[in-house]
Structure formats: structure tokens, C-alpha cells
Amino acid sequence: MRQPAVAGQFYPLRPENLEKELKQCFEGLEIRERDILGAVCPHAGYVYSGRVAAYVYAALSKADTYVLFGPNHTGYGSPVSVSIDTWKTPLGSLEVDRELAEGLSGSIIDMDELGHRYEHSIEVQLPFLQYRFDHDFRILPICLGMQDEETATEVGSLIANLVSKSGKKVTFIASSDFTHYQPANLARKTDEEIIEAILNLDVSGIYESLYRRNASVCGYGPISAMLTASKKLGATRAELLKYSNSGEVSGDMNAVVGYAAIVVE
């Protein structure tokens, strides 16, 4: 059982408080399901980025399995790891799609729990899925410590091939925040350039922008894996649903973190 690592920090620990906070995140948003293959969602504390994340979750439709790609902030575990534990949140437990996980045996992706144990990037997405779809789905959590273009595209291709053979309805979710601790105007300029590459489904373009701007987007590998997998399964367009930053909550526009909600169809 993978216990929550950041309940009570990034989101409320008590189920009733968590449900209340999630309800606030969705307030005024219409639940309008779309045929979404992939998405980018932020992973900061809900008070900062929960509203942005809700834009994606309000548009998601029910899938058999949600593949969650997250960056490894902690440095623990394998360079690329899949978890096969049951994941617990304050809203209940979620099972991993072991059939898909076992298909990764012998690949670049190791079965390794340590990379996931203290990592928040995937965990914070799960209560949103539970809020929308209860527990009637499975997850496949993949944590990327190595985020270079070659690794990310290999991971995305591997997953897409497995999903294609499985015949399951799967949605890919990349967990990432954008520019970290820059003035709001500079953060927006950097983020707009990288978001443009994402909207063009251009993985190489993402890396070119990252290097040119020395950008501090934390989940560029997960975004690239998600885009690669989505494109292999027929994605042709992407849309930015919402962009915001932490300063809009904290009032400090001198050192913000950027957040984007993007869907790929």
C-alpha cells in the first residue's frame, strides 16, 4: 500500500475537508466531457493550482485506466519507475493496472516503489480523479527522474504500444508546473513559448525552448512522454484551457510559479 505522502500539506488530510476543497476548485466550471487522449495538469498545493487543474478534470471523460507521468523531485529510486502498489488517498484506495504494468517488464521502466514513496507530483492528481469518477478506474503511475528527450519519447512509445494492444480506453496525464520563482511577466513569456510547442505537439520544440530559455519547467519529461503516447494513438490537436500563476493567490508577483491546464485530443 502506497500511503499518502503530502496529505495535510498539498491538500487536506480529512476526507470531508478534501471534498470541500475539491468542490471549490470546480465551482462555476461546467463538467463537459471531451474525447481527451492526454493532458497537462499542475501539481502544486490545491490552494495555488487546484483551480487550474480542475479545468482539465472537468473536461476528462471516463477511462479504464489513467496513465500518470510525473517528475521525480526527490531523487529516490530508479531513473524511470512504475509503481504496482495500491495507492491510498484520504478518499479511498486505487488499484494499479497490473496488466499494463507487467507489460513494461524488461524495459527502460523499472518496477520500483521507492521513486514514488515521497513524490507528490502523481499523488496530488488522484483525489481529482476520485472526485470525478469515484473508484471505478485503474491507474498506472510512472515517475521520471531522467527527463531527456530520448528517455521521454521511449517511455511514451512503450506505453502507447501497450495501450494499443490492450484495447483499453486510456487517458495520459502529465503532471507538471511551469516556470518557477520568476517575476510574473518573465514567467509568462517563457511559459507561452513552451506552451506553444506543446500546442503544436512538438516534443523537440519543447526541448529547444527549455534549453534556449534555461526554463524551470519541472515536468518536461512527463509532458513529452504524454505527447508522444497521445500522438501514437492518433492525437492531432491540443488546447490551452487555463494559464495562471501562484501570485494570483499569494499576491506576490515577483517570484511566481506558472500553472497550465492543457488537453490533447
Side-chain angles (χ1 to χ4, degrees):
M1 180 78 76
R2 195 275 188 187
Q3 299 291 335
V6 294
Q9 299 169 51
F10 281 63
Y11 60 88
L13 176 62
R14 294 172 67 90
E16 59 272 27
N17 294 342
L18 177 52
E19 285 186 354
K20 184 179 174 185
E21 179 133 11
L22 284 162
K23 189 177 179 184
Q24 287 172 347
C25 290
F26 284 94
E27 213 163 81
L29 283 181
E30 187 181 352
I31 303 294
R32 185 179 291 174
E33 295 187 358
R34 295 160 56 168
D35 189 19
I36 291 165
L37 272 167
V40 179
C41 279
H43 56 234
Y46 286 7
V47 67
Y48 292 107
S49 69
R51 176 68 174 176
V52 178
Y55 274 80
V56 165
Y57 288 105
L60 282 193
S61 57
K62 177 81 172 52
D64 299 319
T65 300
Y66 296 92
V67 177
L68 297 125
F69 299 107
N72 184 333
H73 292 85
T74 67
Y76 290 113
S78 296
V80 186
S81 59
V82 60
S83 167
I84 58 169
D85 274 356
T86 299
W87 283 54
K88 189 178 178 186
T89 83
L91 300 183
S93 299
L94 289 169
E95 296 299 328
V96 164
D97 188 325
R98 286 178 174 248
E99 186 187 348
L100 287 180
E102 282 161 12
L104 297 168
S105 181
S107 76
I108 189 177
I109 305 172
D110 296 324
M111 286 189 188
D112 170 55
E113 303 303 332
L114 185 57
H116 294 267
R117 190 171 300 160
Y118 308 107
E119 177 53 53
H120 67 274
S121 61
I122 290 172
E123 178 183 324
V124 298
Q125 309 298 339
L126 302 181
F128 278 97
L129 288 170
Q130 290 170 306
Y131 184 81
R132 276 296 322 280
F133 305 115
D134 197 27
H135 294 76
D136 187 24
F137 60 87
R138 292 186 183 271
I139 59 171
L140 189 68
I142 297 173
C143 194
L144 287 90
M146 281 175 66
Q147 296 196 57
D148 59 280
E149 185 175 352
E150 188 181 349
T151 299
T153 51
E154 185 175 342
V155 168
S157 295
L158 268 168
I159 298 294
N161 292 338
L162 276 178
V163 167
S164 189
K165 286 177 196 163
S166 76
K168 295 177 181 181
K169 179 172 166 48
V170 171
T171 303
F172 308 107
I173 298 170
S175 181
S176 182
D177 296 336
F178 280 76
T179 293
H180 287 63
Y181 313 125
Q182 292 281 327
N185 59 334
L186 290 179
R188 182 177 278 275
K189 278 184 184 170
T190 299
D191 292 345
E192 279 174 350
E193 186 176 317
I194 291 161
I195 288 166
E196 185 180 0
I198 296 169
L199 298 182
N200 291 329
L201 311 181
D202 181 5
V203 170
S204 293
I206 293 169
Y207 284 86
E208 284 164 19
S209 293
L210 280 168
Y211 297 143
R212 186 170 59 254
R213 289 192 166 270
N214 194 25
S216 51
V217 177
C218 58
Y220 57 94
I223 292 170
S224 301
M226 176 278 294
L227 280 179
T228 302
S230 299
K231 283 162 71 177
K232 269 188 161 283
L233 295 184
T236 56
R237 65 179 293 273
E239 183 184 340
L240 176 67
L241 301 182
K242 179 71 175 172
Y243 177 82
S244 181
N245 67 56
S246 57
E248 291 177 28
V249 175
S250 70
D252 177 9
M253 290 295 184
N254 293 316
V256 306
V257 179
Y259 311 121
I262 301 168
V263 293
V264 181
E265 296 174 301

